[in-house]
Amino acid sequence: MSIRRMTLGSGYRYLMASVARGDAAAPTASPLAAYYSEPGTPPGRFLGAGLAGLERGRGVQPGALVSEEHLWRMLGMLQDPVTGEPLGRPPGAERTAYVDGLNRLRKAPKTVAGFDLTFTAPKSVSVAWALADEPTRRRLHAAHVAALEFVSEYAERTVFATRTGRGGVVSEDVRGVVAAAFDHWDSRSGDPQLHTHVVVLNRVQAASDGQWRTLDSKALFRAAVGLSELYNGVLADLVTADLGYGWAPERRRHSPVEKWEVAGVGEALRAEFSQRSTEIDAAKDALVTDFVAGRGRQPTPREVLQLRQRATLETRPDKELHSLGELVTGWRSRAEPFVGDQPQAWVASLAGRNDLPLLRAGDLAEGMLDDAAQVALEVVSGKRSTFTRANVFAEVLRQIHGVRFASPGDRVAVAEWITTLGLERAVALTPPDLGYVPDELRRPDGTSRFRPRDSEVYTTQALLDAEERLLAAGRAMDGPTADDAAAAAVCAGDLPGRHHPLSAEQAAAVCRIATSGRALDVLVGPAGAGKSTAMAGIGAVWEAQFGPGSVVGLAPSAAAAEVLSEAVGVPTENTAKWLAEAARQPDRVAELEALTAALDRATPSLRTRALLRRARELSAEIDRWHLRRGQLVIVDEASMAGTFELDSLTAYARTAGAKVLLVGDWAQLSPVAAGGAFKLLATDREDAPSLLDVRRFRHEWERDASLKLRTGAKGVAAEYARHGRVRGGDRESMLDELFANWCDDVAAGRRSLMVAADTATVADLNHRARAQRVAEGLVVDSGVTVAEGSVIGVGDVVVTRQNQRDLGSATGWVKNGDQWVVAAVYADGSLTVRRETGAGVARLHAQYVREHLELGYATTAHRAQGRTVDTTHAFVTATTMREPLYVMATRGRESNTLYVDTVYDPDAATAHRSPSVRSPSAVLEEVLGRSGAELSAIEVRTRERNTGASPARLHDEGATILAVDRNRRGQQTSARQMIEHRGI
């Protein structure tokens, strides 16, 4: 399920544009039968419990057809669709246009009139529906409709809310929503995509007084993931109950979350019906062929860009409406290579594959529910330091997706109970309400309406304990210390292996860290501030004091550890690997003691030699994975290290008498695990060593601007735009321009980086780069097909995505994130690759190639962190967070250009119109105002306490309580007067 905001006066036309206008639009037994031959889709139908409050309380019948006038009144005027009367406060005059930082006239933001909740069936369901006979297609559609209506009703009871009281301090339940549902059959590109747009009006009646008010959109977006998971689960239950379909989990390429598809609907068939990008590439290739034939040469990158833009226009689906019958005929023809010439019979073969019982809520034993709660809590708390009930509920639904339930109510009952069991194990960070709350401001379940439903924030006791231990270690002053004079002497000269000394700022930070005596220390520095040089200085000081081998380097990834090793000149390791090996030390020690005892009694023999050899191996391993007193452990990119990892590492160091130094930037990317510890430690003290002099960028303005970007300062987006670093347009044109500019930089000999925050865009850019290099004759077109669907051939730049220590080259083993160039492709699917920079060749076996190799022309923000190049070209959308934007905008020395998608849509496949266009600066300002940084549980606990006790909030709550009391007294007085008047 995706959510789109719909602004006042726009958004309704695209829904009405696809509705059939002929006689078949009259109500019939089945919308599928009515529109099989009629061009277009069925008219919208009303749904929602809020319909009862329309037409002055007479109500509108659920299922009644929605006319164009109805929809205009709802989304164009925020009026009752029947009477035209305003629902609540009429929308005021739109805010006036304004002048942006570049003195350009901009349109003002528009009032939100509603929300488009688009429920989309899984691709396998859409494919089966598209190819089935009419009765089966009708049953699948009915299951889809029943699932979305169940989820909508559930959301009315548990999610949708409004706000009342002074400053909107009261969260009110609502009587229901007013919504219109529009069924659509295909995606924007004409592939089968069964989906329904449920347009929810941004006006609801509060349960307490029946007044019409706006929706609380925060509650809706907070619950969106859980509602989407609930729809998927309920749909699977209904389809299985009716048709007997089985379901199979599938691994996602870049996510641990499984997706479930109908058993028997293969990946190749599903891919056939997701062809938009393939169509564009095929059309572009044909145009390139014509170009070469006509001009006798390959087109330049700029000319290829123009050809691709032409291909995009030529392959864009026409605006004509097609009947469902026409669509089905085309889909069946496309499916024949995969299912044969009898697609309906193939769909029929999918039935009866389910071998799981349909369970009732009471069928699951308490122990099973308890185990599921434990697993769900572990998954959620492992990924984030704090969470809400909505997070746990969504994860519980994922955990039980493979279970088939007899009814939607059974699925919800089990999911809610497991969620409650999970939260009973958690620790609430939101303080309880302790003040006076009158009954009028309490819900039926007794909870205060001063707090939005299910908005409480939780963590686990284990995480809180880990954070407390880290804070204690950061305050402890019993760590090893370097001599002041020795530290100053090292900092005054050139560093080993370098021809320059530390800057004054770097030297001061190095000396403070080396002589602080803190058991756990930090070094904070923004991008390009010279943290690597400072770490080299710290290493030199430490080895001068404690001798060679006294510095250990760790980093969140093996590739980052290799960069750290080059910077500091000491052995380094992946943090997770080091901790795993350190955890094995007790077993090694026990085995070595047993071997030593056996050797004391042994006589010379071959067996004795083997025992001695094993003893030496164990001794070397114990020494390698052992910390000793006086050592310094440097953890680079520490903001990306999980809290539990840092806690375990610090515990090892404290036991050994070693010092830990965390180096990083809390304004950059967070870990994929529960994090926030680095910022917690850095802000726990006022004198944390920091580097502020940004040295990376060639242009002075960019040094200052990058620091503003780091904290999301107002106006910095306009500053980047003034210097020509911002481009704006739709996704395709921005990717085209980004790619063309990257090609120009590469051709000019610059080290250039294409980067995006999401893997789908990275894959798109990689495909463009490969196609271009094939056209230029730099890459062989044929090769090996890998898991993500790309073909990799000789000459391709690739990236390895999994550590493999038994696959080596002259410059080290194969690491996650290593860049290579393909040197040879073999018949068995294996490859020979050489490192993109430096020496080193490795042979990658076929399974590794298939599962863990990707094209490496473009990269994600996470893989880009820590890299430095000449130029960077970064793709930005409305969903990008500040931290990845900051990383993407600070990799290049010479320039960093941002290509902003100004017409972003959350679900392009189900978008039947172009979203409203925004200015690139407006999109960037929104991105900069939205932080995705992981906060520690302790920081969130403090924030929750401060929020609840803020003077402004207490004032608003107090004013609301006084208003309720006045109203109660007035009602009591009126009642008393009435009684006296009647003489009772």
Side-chain angles (χ1 to χ4, degrees):
M1 185 195 77
S2 61
I3 303 178
R4 301 175 179 89
R5 288 184 172 89
M6 305 183 74
T7 56
L8 194 70
S10 67
Y12 81 98
R13 293 183 181 89
Y14 84 97
L15 291 170
M16 298 304 303
S18 64
V19 171
R21 305 291 180 174
D23 295 336
T28 61
S30 166
L32 296 180
Y35 298 95
Y36 193 80
S37 58
E38 181 75 15
T41 55
R45 60 187 183 279
F46 280 111
L47 59 83
L51 296 173
L54 296 178
E55 200 177 355
R56 303 185 184 94
R58 287 189 290 271
V60 171
Q61 187 67 26
L65 298 186
V66 178
S67 69
E68 186 166 359
E69 184 177 9
H70 289 150
L71 204 59
W72 163 247
R73 286 174 174 173
M74 291 169 62
L75 299 180
M77 302 296 289
L78 288 173
Q79 294 175 346
D80 186 309
V82 179
T83 66
E85 296 175 354
L87 296 179
R89 182 183 302 172
E94 290 292 326
R95 285 171 283 180
T96 59
Y98 66 98
V99 177
D100 68 8
L102 296 178
N103 293 320
R104 295 176 298 189
L105 187 65
R106 295 297 185 189
K107 296 179 181 179
K110 292 187 176 182
T111 301
V112 175
F115 300 89
D116 178 356
L117 278 57
T118 305
F119 292 85
T120 304
K123 179 59 76 173
S124 57
V125 175
S126 289
V127 170
W129 168 84
L131 303 180
D133 56 33
E134 176 61 27
T136 304
R137 191 161 51 246
R138 196 177 303 152
R139 290 158 72 181
L140 285 169
H141 176 260
H144 161 72
V145 171
L148 72 88
E149 290 183 350
F150 177 85
V151 173
S152 298
E153 292 167 4
Y154 178 79
E156 286 181 309
R157 299 193 306 272
T158 63
V159 174
F160 289 116
T162 187
R163 306 193 73 88
T164 63
R166 178 72 171 268
V169 75
V170 178
S171 177
E172 292 268 13
D173 292 343
V174 300
R175 295 181 178 180
V177 298
V178 175
F182 292 81
D183 291 333
H184 285 137
W185 315 135
D186 57 343
S187 69
R188 190 172 186 176
S189 57
D191 290 321
Q193 191 72 74
L194 177 60
H195 63 282
T196 299
H197 297 270
V198 177
V199 179
V200 178
L201 180 66
N202 193 20
R203 286 291 188 270
V204 288
Q205 284 182 295
S208 60
D209 60 11
Q211 295 298 309
W212 290 93
R213 296 180 175 87
T214 60
L215 273 169
D216 179 3
S217 61
K218 289 183 179 179
L220 175 58
F221 282 93
R222 184 170 58 237
V225 175
L227 295 178
S228 182
E229 294 291 343
L230 181 59
Y231 162 77
N232 289 332
V234 170
L235 177 62
D237 289 340
L238 295 175
V239 169
T240 297
D242 186 26
L243 293 166
Y245 284 8
W247 296 82
E250 294 186 359
R251 292 177 55 189
R252 299 175 192 262
R253 178 68 178 165
H254 295 286
S255 171
V257 179
E258 294 177 328
K259 65 175 181 177
W260 290 76
E261 299 285 359
V262 174
V265 183
E267 183 177 354
L269 178 58
R270 299 200 306 269
E272 165 62 27
F273 291 119
S274 304
Q275 289 289 308
R276 175 62 179 154
S277 61
T278 304
E279 290 174 355
I280 294 174
D281 288 337
K284 183 264 296 178
D285 291 343
L287 292 173
V288 168
T289 300
D290 292 342
F291 183 98
V292 173
R295 304 196 185 187
R297 65 173 177 85
Q298 288 290 335
T300 66
R302 286 286 169 186
E303 289 169 334
V304 172
L305 167 61
Q306 294 169 355
L307 294 175
R308 182 178 175 84
Q309 290 171 336
R310 178 180 162 189
T312 300
L313 292 174
E314 291 180 354
T315 59
R316 184 168 291 163
D318 57 42
K319 300 292 185 180
E320 296 179 6
L321 298 180
H322 297 282
S323 69
L324 180 56
E326 292 173 327
L327 293 172
V328 167
T329 299
W331 293 335
R332 286 175 176 169
S333 176
R334 290 170 58 186
E336 283 189 9
F338 303 91
V339 301
D341 59 1
Q342 296 294 325
Q344 293 129 301
W346 172 81
V347 173
S349 73
L350 300 175
R353 299 194 182 195
N354 175 60
D355 56 2
L356 299 175
L358 303 184
L359 301 179
R360 295 288 182 185
D363 292 339
L364 297 175
E366 190 70 23
M368 295 176 64
L369 300 178
D370 207 52
D371 290 343
Q374 181 67 33
V375 171
L377 188 65
E378 288 175 356
V379 171
V380 172
S381 62
K383 292 188 294 187
R384 56 182 77 219
S385 58
T386 63
F387 47 87
T388 64
R389 182 182 181 89
N391 300 132
V392 179
F393 181 68
E395 182 56 38
V396 167
L397 287 167
R398 294 189 190 104
Q399 294 292 327
I400 64 173
H401 194 102
V403 180
R404 297 277 67 82
F405 288 92
S407 73
D410 290 306
R411 177 172 292 275
V412 163
V414 170
E416 288 186 332
W417 182 237
I418 294 175
T419 301
T420 299
L421 291 175
L423 291 178
E424 287 176 354
R425 292 176 163 83
V427 177
L429 299 178
T430 305
D433 287 314
L434 298 177
Y436 166 68
V437 179
D439 291 341
E440 293 89 337
L441 293 175
R442 292 190 180 276
R443 299 185 182 89
D445 62 3
T447 58
S448 169
R449 291 196 275 125
F450 283 136
R451 180 175 297 159
R453 185 186 295 277
D454 297 332
S455 64
E456 294 87 350
V457 184
Y458 298 86
T459 189
T460 61
Q461 190 61 51
L463 187 81
L464 275 176
D465 292 343
E467 291 182 353
E468 292 287 1
R469 287 191 294 267
L470 286 170
L471 283 176
R475 297 164 183 168
M477 305 298 291
D478 57 353
T481 303
D483 180 73
D484 288 355
V490 172
C491 291
D494 288 351
L495 296 177
R498 299 173 185 246
H499 302 294
H500 60 83
L502 297 169
S503 69
E505 181 185 58
Q506 290 169 335
V510 167
C511 289
R512 286 180 57 198
I513 292 168
T515 62
S516 71
R518 290 184 183 271
L520 176 59
D521 222 329
V522 297
L523 173 61
V524 182
K531 294 188 292 295
S532 295
T533 302
M535 286 188 289
I538 294 168
V541 168
W542 209 261
E543 289 201 332
Q545 179 76 46
F546 294 95
S550 59
V551 179
V552 177
L554 299 177
S557 69
E562 188 171 35
V563 173
L564 175 62
S565 177
E566 294 172 357
V568 183
V570 299
T572 59
E573 188 51 82
N574 176 347
T575 307
K577 170 68 174 176
W578 193 95
L579 289 171
E581 294 294 347
R584 295 176 55 195
Q585 290 289 71
D587 293 337
R588 293 192 183 101
V589 170
E591 184 181 353
L592 181 59
E593 289 175 351
L595 285 174
T596 301
L599 287 169
D600 286 342
R601 301 187 300 271
T603 58
S605 66
L606 291 176
R607 180 176 178 278
T608 300
R609 289 182 184 178
L611 293 177
L612 186 59
R613 186 165 52 251
R614 176 56 181 162
R616 289 170 179 164
E617 291 174 355
L618 285 170
S619 182
E621 289 178 0
I622 289 171
D623 185 60
R624 180 183 178 185
W625 307 110
H626 169 72
L627 294 178
R628 64 177 184 272
R629 180 170 296 279
Q631 280 188 308
L632 172 67
V633 182
I634 300 177
V635 182
D636 194 16
E637 301 290 358
S639 69
M640 295 183 69
T643 298
F644 289 115
E645 281 189 341
L646 293 180
D647 177 47
S648 297
L649 177 63
T650 303
Y652 282 120
R654 295 281 282 154
T655 301
K659 177 186 178 79
V660 176
L661 170 63
L662 307 181
V663 181
D665 180 12
W666 46 260
Q668 296 188 47
L669 294 168
S670 299
V672 294
F678 180 74
K679 184 181 180 184
L680 175 68
L681 292 164
T683 55
D684 185 55
R685 45 191 286 205
E686 296 180 356
D687 63 340
S690 301
L691 303 175
L692 298 175
D693 183 14
V694 178
R695 313 163 68 84
R696 172 175 297 164
F697 309 114
R698 301 278 173 84
H699 303 282
E700 190 66 35
W701 73 266
E702 194 165 9
R703 299 179 184 183
D704 297 332
S706 71
L707 293 176
K708 297 176 185 176
L709 199 71
R710 179 174 180 257
T711 56
K714 291 289 185 182
V716 67
E719 189 169 350
Y720 274 80
R722 278 196 300 272
H723 287 89
R725 297 294 185 80
V726 179
R727 308 281 192 272
D730 64 85
R731 173 186 170 86
E732 290 300 319
S733 63
M734 284 298 93
L735 293 182
D736 286 341
E737 186 174 352
L738 184 159
F739 174 67
N741 291 338
W742 174 80
C743 288
D744 291 345
D745 282 347
V746 172
R750 301 184 185 96
R751 292 184 61 213
S752 188
L753 192 65
M754 292 190 291
V755 59
D758 65 289
T759 56
T761 302
V762 169
D764 195 335
L765 291 170
N766 276 328
H767 292 155
R768 293 172 193 236
R770 183 176 201 276
Q772 177 64 29
R773 290 172 66 84
V774 168
E776 293 173 347
L778 301 175
V779 169
V780 176
D781 191 13
S782 60
V784 178
T785 301
V786 296
E788 63 160 346
S790 301
V791 175
I792 291 177
V794 173
D796 268 320
V797 176
V798 295
V799 58
T800 44
R801 299 294 288 120
Q802 177 167 289
N803 295 334
Q804 194 80 21
R805 293 173 187 263
D806 59 348
L807 295 178
S809 70
T811 55
W813 47 273
V814 174
K815 302 175 183 66
N816 179 9
D818 281 351
Q819 297 276 130
W820 309 81
V821 176
V822 178
V825 177
Y826 302 100
D828 65 351
S830 62
L831 303 178
T832 294
V833 294
R834 58 176 173 80
R835 294 195 180 275
E836 188 179 24
T837 57
V841 175
R843 176 75 176 262
L844 306 180
H845 57 75
Q847 183 178 356
Y848 186 95
V849 170
R850 186 171 56 254
E851 297 179 359
H852 306 300
L853 200 66
E854 296 176 2
L855 291 172
Y857 301 101
T859 184
T860 61
H862 272 82
R863 291 211 307 268
Q865 182 161 315
R867 294 182 63 178
T868 302
V869 294
D870 297 324
T871 64
T872 300
H873 302 277
F875 181 70
V876 182
T877 75
T879 61
T880 305
M881 293 290 184
R882 181 200 306 160
E883 291 76 19
L885 172 64
Y886 174 56
V887 169
M888 294 189 294
T890 53
R891 300 303 97 199
R893 297 185 186 92
E894 296 179 12
S895 69
N896 298 276
T897 306
L898 307 176
Y899 302 80
V900 183
D901 182 354
T902 57
V903 289
Y904 173 79
D905 190 277
D907 186 5
T910 61
H912 302 282
R913 67 181 178 105
S914 296
S916 56
V917 179
R918 304 173 61 195
S919 73
S921 291
V923 175
L924 288 176
E925 288 293 347
E926 180 180 307
V927 168
L928 290 170
R930 186 174 58 247
S931 172
E934 183 87 7
L935 300 180
S936 66
I938 290 175
E939 187 176 356
V940 172
R941 181 175 61 188
T942 301
R943 183 192 65 186
E944 288 291 294
R945 290 173 176 173
N946 292 341
T947 298
S950 70
R953 181 176 182 85
L954 292 176
H955 179 268
D956 289 342
E957 289 182 0
T960 301
I961 291 173
L962 289 175
V964 168
D965 286 342
R966 283 196 300 270
N967 184 58
R968 184 195 307 123
R969 288 195 298 271
Q971 291 176 346
Q972 292 172 345
T973 300
S974 298
R976 187 165 52 250
Q977 291 173 345
M978 184 178 296
I979 292 173
E980 293 173 352
H981 177 73
R982 293 178 177 178
I984 299 177

